[in-house]
């Protein structure tokens, strides 16, 4: 078992690996704000393309949402009404995962517990089955691979589930990774590619000269760069970081999760299982991750009794065997959430690229986001699959809502 998960209850999760201690240099081709999954994925890709890259992180690598995630790459299970903009990008990114995995594992010498074992979304009782039917119809209309299963068919696949499970949907193409392993691999890959990562240094603001962004400011010091990339997760919308005319509609949505230790005696699930209340994801190191609450409470951090109770009750309702599993860790994190739950990826102004707002899909969307930003810096344009994710869409959505009300 990894010692990463045996931290005191609620303590922020950290990596076993540390970046080499680095001072902030005075200039680079690219300056990235935030050493989360998105910042490091982009930094790695750009350094591979020959650019000098410096990543500046206020706390430590992954300490935002990225080490709090479950690591599901689940566009089918996640598909819900209103996510039409997101679905093509999500499917594109899922397709890019095997190549991203291979390159990351080769560059870092680490494995990331990538598993293509699918998701099973299950229901108990008539009301839940009705909601599941609705979800299945939506999946079918959207062309997402999803197979309807009866209760006995569900239990044939997952015998540890309670016998009263009434029905399920198998989403066979969904996959998952272990976020801690991905972040460690990204850290290694970045360092191998020459990225400088500066931890425990907060960016106070961005430098702008004559309409062009020229670097970032840390106290009295500046880091000059041809391009600044804002990948500050849930903090990307904070006042002070960007000028008012470029303010981003990004807010934190808190999630609490826990890791249960499974053994030969307790057994475990063989794929991700979702209910209305929780998701459960079995990992290669024997942990079963149970997540995650969704709380609109600003940056109020910490793990609460209510949050844990909801997770454990939701899990036990379908998987009674959790009663015998030890709780190895509990934690919380802040999803970076935009007004329509889809990411913001764009050249927001000369010299400034924004890559944030990945909400509950940062892992799923990391390969497409990194490739899109690399293409943007390489040839000046976003690839087709990443177009339409700029801030302009929020104004258009607001106007459409206004018309509907009028
Ligand atoms: C409980 C939970 C479960 C999740 N499960 C999944 C999942 O199963 N699948 C999935 O795809 N996604 C999941 N997510 C979402 C995923 O974790 C995020 O979308 C992703 O990690 C966002 O990465 P990021 O790099 O944008 O943000 P972060 O990881 O938050 O990184 C942003 C970084 O910027 C730093 N920063 C902020 N301000 C400054 C500043 N002024 N100066 C310097 N640094 C700064 C922060 O300290 C932070 O480290 C989950 C999230 C949560 C919370």
């Amino acid at each position: 078992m990894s010692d990463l998960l045996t931290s005191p209850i609620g303590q922020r999760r950290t990596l076993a690996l540390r970046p080499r201690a680095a001072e902030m240099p005075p200039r680079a081709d690219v300056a990235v704000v935030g050493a989360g999954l998105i910042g490091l994925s982009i930094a790695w890709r750009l350094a591979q393309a020959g650019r000098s890259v410096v990543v500046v992180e206020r706390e430590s690598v992954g300490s935002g949402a990225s080490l709090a995630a479950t690591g599901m790459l689940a566009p089918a299970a996640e598909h819900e009404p209103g996510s039409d903009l997101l679905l093509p990008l999500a499917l594109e990114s899922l397709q890019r995962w095997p190549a991203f995995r291979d390159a990351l594992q080769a560059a870092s010498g680490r494995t990331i517990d990538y598993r293509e074992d699918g998701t099973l979304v299950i229901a108990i009782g008539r009301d839940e089955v009705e909601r599941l039917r609705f979800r299945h119809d939506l999946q079918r209309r959207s062309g997402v691979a999803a197979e309807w299963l009866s209760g006995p068919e569900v239990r044939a696949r997952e015998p540890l589930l309670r016998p009263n499970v009434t029905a399920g949907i198998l989403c066979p193409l969904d996959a998952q990774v272990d976020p801690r392993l991905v972040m460690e691999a990204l850290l290694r890959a970045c360092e191998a590619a020459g990225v400088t990562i500066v931890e425990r240094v907060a960016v106070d603001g961005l430098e702008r000269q004559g309409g062009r962004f020229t670097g970032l400011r840390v106290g009295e010091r500046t880091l000059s760069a041809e391009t600044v990339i804002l990948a500050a997760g849930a903090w990307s919308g904070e006042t002070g970081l960007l000028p008012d005319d470029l303010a981003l509609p990004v807010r934190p949505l808190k999630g609490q999760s826990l890791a249960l230790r499974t053994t030969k005696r307790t057994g475990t699930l063989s794929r991700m299982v979702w209910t209305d209340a929780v998701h459960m994801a079995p990992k290669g190191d024997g942990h079963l991750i149970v997540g995650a609450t969704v709380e609109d409470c600003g940056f109020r951090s910490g793990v609460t009794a209510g949050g844990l109770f909801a997770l454990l009750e939701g899990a036990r309702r379908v998987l009674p065997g959790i009663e015998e599993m030890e709780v190895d860790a509990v934690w919380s994190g802040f999803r970076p959430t935009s007004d329509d739950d889809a990411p913001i990826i764009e050249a927001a102004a000369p010299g400034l690229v924004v890559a944030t707002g990945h909400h509950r899909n940062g892992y799923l969307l990391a390969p497409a986001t990194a490739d899109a930003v690399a293409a943007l810096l390489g040839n000046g344009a976003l690839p087709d699959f990443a177009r339409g994710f700029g801030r302009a869409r929020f104004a258009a959505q607001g106007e459409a809502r206004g018309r509907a009300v009028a």
Side-chain angles (χ1 to χ4, degrees), residues 31-56:
V32 180
V33 186
L37 166 73
I38 299 301
L40 288 195
S41 300
I42 293 170
W44 170 49
R45 285 305 205 201
L46 294 178
Q48 279 184 320
R51 288 190 162 76
S52 63
V53 184
V54 176
V55 183
V56 183

mmCIF file of all heavy atoms in Angstrom, residues 31-56:
data_model
loop_
_atom_site.group_PDB
_atom_site.id
_atom_site.type_symbol
_atom_site.label_atom_id
_atom_site.label_comp_id
_atom_site.label_asym_id
_atom_site.label_seq_id
_atom_site.Cartn_x
_atom_site.Cartn_y
_atom_site.Cartn_z
ATOM 1 N N ALA A 31 5.524 30.846 -19.288
ATOM 2 C CA ALA A 31 5.346 30.823 -17.827
ATOM 3 C C ALA A 31 3.955 30.270 -17.541
ATOM 4 O O ALA A 31 2.963 30.769 -18.083
ATOM 5 C CB ALA A 31 5.476 32.227 -17.257
ATOM 6 N N VAL A 32 3.886 29.227 -16.717
ATOM 7 C CA VAL A 32 2.600 28.604 -16.402
ATOM 8 C C VAL A 32 2.249 28.920 -14.949
ATOM 9 O O VAL A 32 3.075 28.715 -14.054
ATOM 10 C CB VAL A 32 2.675 27.065 -16.588
ATOM 11 C CG1 VAL A 32 1.328 26.418 -16.271
ATOM 12 C CG2 VAL A 32 3.120 26.713 -18.008
ATOM 13 N N VAL A 33 1.024 29.371 -14.712
ATOM 14 C CA VAL A 33 0.559 29.608 -13.340
ATOM 15 C C VAL A 33 -0.209 28.370 -12.888
ATOM 16 O O VAL A 33 -1.277 28.069 -13.416
ATOM 17 C CB VAL A 33 -0.380 30.831 -13.258
ATOM 18 C CG1 VAL A 33 -0.728 31.128 -11.794
ATOM 19 C CG2 VAL A 33 0.252 32.045 -13.917
ATOM 20 N N GLY A 34 0.350 27.623 -11.924
ATOM 21 C CA GLY A 34 -0.348 26.463 -11.368
ATOM 22 C C GLY A 34 0.262 25.142 -11.789
ATOM 23 O O GLY A 34 0.346 24.829 -12.982
ATOM 24 N N ALA A 35 0.719 24.374 -10.786
ATOM 25 C CA ALA A 35 1.310 23.050 -11.068
ATOM 26 C C ALA A 35 0.322 21.953 -10.717
ATOM 27 O O ALA A 35 0.601 21.039 -9.940
ATOM 28 C CB ALA A 35 2.616 22.873 -10.292
ATOM 29 N N GLY A 36 -0.890 22.064 -11.276
ATOM 30 C CA GLY A 36 -1.851 20.971 -11.187
ATOM 31 C C GLY A 36 -1.708 20.108 -12.437
ATOM 32 O O GLY A 36 -0.784 20.271 -13.239
ATOM 33 N N LEU A 37 -2.658 19.209 -12.586
ATOM 34 C CA LEU A 37 -2.666 18.315 -13.744
ATOM 35 C C LEU A 37 -2.619 19.080 -15.065
ATOM 36 O O LEU A 37 -1.860 18.733 -15.985
ATOM 37 C CB LEU A 37 -3.958 17.493 -13.681
ATOM 38 C CG LEU A 37 -4.373 16.724 -14.908
ATOM 39 C CD1 LEU A 37 -3.470 15.519 -15.097
ATOM 40 C CD2 LEU A 37 -5.822 16.281 -14.789
ATOM 41 N N ILE A 38 -3.415 20.142 -15.164
ATOM 42 C CA ILE A 38 -3.512 20.858 -16.435
ATOM 43 C C ILE A 38 -2.224 21.635 -16.700
ATOM 44 O O ILE A 38 -1.649 21.562 -17.799
ATOM 45 C CB ILE A 38 -4.760 21.779 -16.438
ATOM 46 C CG1 ILE A 38 -6.045 20.933 -16.264
ATOM 47 C CG2 ILE A 38 -4.820 22.624 -17.704
ATOM 48 C CD1 ILE A 38 -6.280 19.873 -17.334
ATOM 49 N N GLY A 39 -1.725 22.358 -15.692
ATOM 50 C CA GLY A 39 -0.486 23.121 -15.870
ATOM 51 C C GLY A 39 0.680 22.220 -16.246
ATOM 52 O O GLY A 39 1.443 22.523 -17.176
ATOM 53 N N LEU A 40 0.808 21.087 -15.544
ATOM 54 C CA LEU A 40 1.950 20.203 -15.834
ATOM 55 C C LEU A 40 1.791 19.482 -17.173
ATOM 56 O O LEU A 40 2.777 19.270 -17.885
ATOM 57 C CB LEU A 40 2.132 19.169 -14.716
ATOM 58 C CG LEU A 40 2.671 19.674 -13.378
ATOM 59 C CD1 LEU A 40 3.153 18.512 -12.513
ATOM 60 C CD2 LEU A 40 3.787 20.692 -13.532
ATOM 61 N N SER A 41 0.566 19.092 -17.520
ATOM 62 C CA SER A 41 0.380 18.405 -18.823
ATOM 63 C C SER A 41 0.795 19.332 -19.964
ATOM 64 O O SER A 41 1.479 18.924 -20.916
ATOM 65 C CB SER A 41 -1.086 18.003 -19.029
ATOM 66 O OG SER A 41 -1.508 17.135 -18.024
ATOM 67 N N ILE A 42 0.377 20.596 -19.853
ATOM 68 C CA ILE A 42 0.726 21.561 -20.904
ATOM 69 C C ILE A 42 2.227 21.836 -20.887
ATOM 70 O O ILE A 42 2.887 21.850 -21.941
ATOM 71 C CB ILE A 42 -0.080 22.868 -20.695
ATOM 72 C CG1 ILE A 42 -1.576 22.615 -20.925
ATOM 73 C CG2 ILE A 42 0.436 23.976 -21.607
ATOM 74 C CD1 ILE A 42 -2.476 23.765 -20.504
ATOM 75 N N ALA A 43 2.772 22.048 -19.694
ATOM 76 C CA ALA A 43 4.213 22.359 -19.578
ATOM 77 C C ALA A 43 5.050 21.242 -20.204
ATOM 78 O O ALA A 43 6.012 21.493 -20.944
ATOM 79 C CB ALA A 43 4.582 22.538 -18.107
ATOM 80 N N TRP A 44 4.668 20.009 -19.929
ATOM 81 C CA TRP A 44 5.422 18.857 -20.456
ATOM 82 C C TRP A 44 5.387 18.855 -21.986
ATOM 83 O O TRP A 44 6.418 18.731 -22.650
ATOM 84 C CB TRP A 44 4.823 17.575 -19.875
ATOM 85 C CG TRP A 44 5.327 16.320 -20.484
ATOM 86 C CD1 TRP A 44 6.642 15.979 -20.697
ATOM 87 C CD2 TRP A 44 4.538 15.224 -20.974
ATOM 88 N NE1 TRP A 44 6.720 14.734 -21.279
ATOM 89 C CE2 TRP A 44 5.439 14.251 -21.455
ATOM 90 C CE3 TRP A 44 3.170 14.967 -21.027
ATOM 91 C CZ2 TRP A 44 5.001 13.045 -22.001
ATOM 92 C CZ3 TRP A 44 2.735 13.769 -21.561
ATOM 93 C CH2 TRP A 44 3.650 12.819 -22.045
ATOM 94 N N ARG A 45 4.175 19.011 -22.545
ATOM 95 C CA ARG A 45 4.041 19.001 -24.005
ATOM 96 C C ARG A 45 4.849 20.133 -24.657
ATOM 97 O O ARG A 45 5.482 19.946 -25.694
ATOM 98 C CB ARG A 45 2.570 19.137 -24.414
ATOM 99 C CG ARG A 45 1.743 17.875 -24.205
ATOM 100 C CD ARG A 45 2.355 16.692 -24.895
ATOM 101 N NE ARG A 45 1.411 15.643 -25.229
ATOM 102 C CZ ARG A 45 1.735 14.379 -25.470
ATOM 103 N NH1 ARG A 45 3.009 13.994 -25.376
ATOM 104 N NH2 ARG A 45 0.830 13.495 -25.803
ATOM 105 N N LEU A 46 4.815 21.325 -24.037
ATOM 106 C CA LEU A 46 5.534 22.461 -24.625
ATOM 107 C C LEU A 46 7.040 22.279 -24.502
ATOM 108 O O LEU A 46 7.799 22.636 -25.417
ATOM 109 C CB LEU A 46 5.088 23.764 -23.956
ATOM 110 C CG LEU A 46 3.630 24.153 -24.222
ATOM 111 C CD1 LEU A 46 3.274 25.427 -23.473
ATOM 112 C CD2 LEU A 46 3.392 24.345 -25.736
ATOM 113 N N ALA A 47 7.493 21.728 -23.392
ATOM 114 C CA ALA A 47 8.942 21.492 -23.230
ATOM 115 C C ALA A 47 9.400 20.435 -24.224
ATOM 116 O O ALA A 47 10.496 20.544 -24.800
ATOM 117 C CB ALA A 47 9.242 21.057 -21.800
ATOM 118 N N GLN A 48 8.560 19.432 -24.449
ATOM 119 C CA GLN A 48 8.895 18.411 -25.461
ATOM 120 C C GLN A 48 9.065 19.047 -26.849
ATOM 121 O O GLN A 48 9.836 18.571 -27.663
ATOM 122 C CB GLN A 48 7.784 17.361 -25.552
ATOM 123 C CG GLN A 48 7.835 16.294 -24.496
ATOM 124 C CD GLN A 48 6.737 15.276 -24.753
ATOM 125 O OE1 GLN A 48 5.607 15.625 -25.121
ATOM 126 N NE2 GLN A 48 7.058 14.008 -24.573
ATOM 127 N N ALA A 49 8.293 20.113 -27.084
ATOM 128 C CA ALA A 49 8.367 20.792 -28.386
ATOM 129 C C ALA A 49 9.529 21.783 -28.443
ATOM 130 O O ALA A 49 9.644 22.545 -29.407
ATOM 131 C CB ALA A 49 7.040 21.503 -28.664
ATOM 132 N N GLY A 50 10.341 21.823 -27.394
ATOM 133 C CA GLY A 50 11.573 22.611 -27.439
ATOM 134 C C GLY A 50 11.506 23.962 -26.751
ATOM 135 O O GLY A 50 12.449 24.749 -26.841
ATOM 136 N N ARG A 51 10.392 24.247 -26.050
ATOM 137 C CA ARG A 51 10.293 25.563 -25.393
ATOM 138 C C ARG A 51 10.852 25.504 -23.972
ATOM 139 O O ARG A 51 10.750 24.478 -23.303
ATOM 140 C CB ARG A 51 8.829 25.995 -25.348
ATOM 141 C CG ARG A 51 8.290 26.392 -26.697
ATOM 142 C CD ARG A 51 6.920 27.030 -26.547
ATOM 143 N NE ARG A 51 6.576 27.788 -27.718
ATOM 144 C CZ ARG A 51 6.179 27.267 -28.862
ATOM 145 N NH1 ARG A 51 6.076 25.954 -28.999
ATOM 146 N NH2 ARG A 51 5.892 28.039 -29.883
ATOM 147 N N SER A 52 11.387 26.649 -23.516
ATOM 148 C CA SER A 52 11.769 26.718 -22.105
ATOM 149 C C SER A 52 10.505 27.082 -21.317
ATOM 150 O O SER A 52 9.778 28.013 -21.676
ATOM 151 C CB SER A 52 12.873 27.757 -21.887
ATOM 152 O OG SER A 52 12.411 29.040 -22.224
ATOM 153 N N VAL A 53 10.236 26.302 -20.273
ATOM 154 C CA VAL A 53 8.965 26.455 -19.545
ATOM 155 C C VAL A 53 9.241 26.538 -18.041
ATOM 156 O O VAL A 53 9.987 25.733 -17.496
ATOM 157 C CB VAL A 53 8.024 25.246 -19.808
ATOM 158 C CG1 VAL A 53 6.668 25.473 -19.131
ATOM 159 C CG2 VAL A 53 7.835 24.996 -21.301
ATOM 160 N N VAL A 54 8.607 27.510 -17.400
ATOM 161 C CA VAL A 54 8.673 27.621 -15.940
ATOM 162 C C VAL A 54 7.245 27.543 -15.402
ATOM 163 O O VAL A 54 6.352 28.244 -15.887
ATOM 164 C CB VAL A 54 9.317 28.963 -15.507
ATOM 165 C CG1 VAL A 54 9.294 29.099 -13.988
ATOM 166 C CG2 VAL A 54 10.747 29.059 -16.020
ATOM 167 N N VAL A 55 7.038 26.666 -14.411
ATOM 168 C CA VAL A 55 5.722 26.552 -13.776
ATOM 169 C C VAL A 55 5.843 27.115 -12.365
ATOM 170 O O VAL A 55 6.730 26.707 -11.610
ATOM 171 C CB VAL A 55 5.265 25.073 -13.696
ATOM 172 C CG1 VAL A 55 3.863 24.988 -13.102
ATOM 173 C CG2 VAL A 55 5.309 24.408 -15.063
ATOM 174 N N VAL A 56 4.954 28.035 -12.010
ATOM 175 C CA VAL A 56 4.997 28.637 -10.675
ATOM 176 C C VAL A 56 3.756 28.178 -9.902
ATOM 177 O O VAL A 56 2.626 28.338 -10.371
ATOM 178 C CB VAL A 56 5.048 30.176 -10.761
ATOM 179 C CG1 VAL A 56 5.164 30.777 -9.351
ATOM 180 C CG2 VAL A 56 6.233 30.616 -11.614
#
